[in-house]
């Protein structure tokens, strides 16, 4: 269930303008609309894309979320957050 909730939130923040606005206004309040535990909220608030992917979240959703919402939208920063030095990776290597 956790993965499904995370994916629903990331999808919403990647494609829905209203959700993006509400998240930017008050991230905690926005996340309170979802059945999300503290760890899931932490992952989203801290842009912990590696932990989300380790939970099974689709890498395209974590990348879309990063590009749309991260203060540092560079893919190279996203890859560093994943622990990868590659400029051509969107997911952790399992």
């Amino acid at each position: 269930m956790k993965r499904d909730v995370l994916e629903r939130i990331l999808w919403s923040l990647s494609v829905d303008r209203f959700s993006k606005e509400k998240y930017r206004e008050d991230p905690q309040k926005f996340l309170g609309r979802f059945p999300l535990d503290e760890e899931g909220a932490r992952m989203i608030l801290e842009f912990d894309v590696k932990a989300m992917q380790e939970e099974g979240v689709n890498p395209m959703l974590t990348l879309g979320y990063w590009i749309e919402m991260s203060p540092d939208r560079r893919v190279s920063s996203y890859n560093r957050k994943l622990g990868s030095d590659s400029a051509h990776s969107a997911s952790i290597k399992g």
Side-chain angles (χ1 to χ4, degrees), residues 12-54:
S12 181
L13 291 172
S14 295
V15 301
D16 182 50
R17 181 177 296 149
F18 178 79
S19 293
K20 291 176 195 180
E21 290 172 5
K22 291 300 178 187
Y23 180 84
R24 286 183 179 120
E25 288 172 10
D26 188 342
Q28 293 285 358
K29 184 176 179 182
F30 175 82
L31 293 176
R33 299 172 31 211
F34 299 91
L36 192 62
D37 63 14
E38 285 184 33
E39 178 62 10
R42 182 204 62 77
M43 285 185 231
I44 291 173
L45 294 169
E46 295 179 8
F47 293 88
D48 192 347
V49 292
K50 183 175 183 179
M52 286 188 260
Q53 286 189 21
E54 288 171 344

Side-chain angles (χ1 to χ4, degrees), residues 71-90:
D72 178 2
R73 297 177 176 185
R74 294 175 297 170
V75 174
S76 60
S77 297
Y78 171 85
N79 284 332
R80 275 194 301 280
K81 193 84 167 178
L82 288 175
S84 172
D85 292 330
S86 171
H88 307 291
S89 178

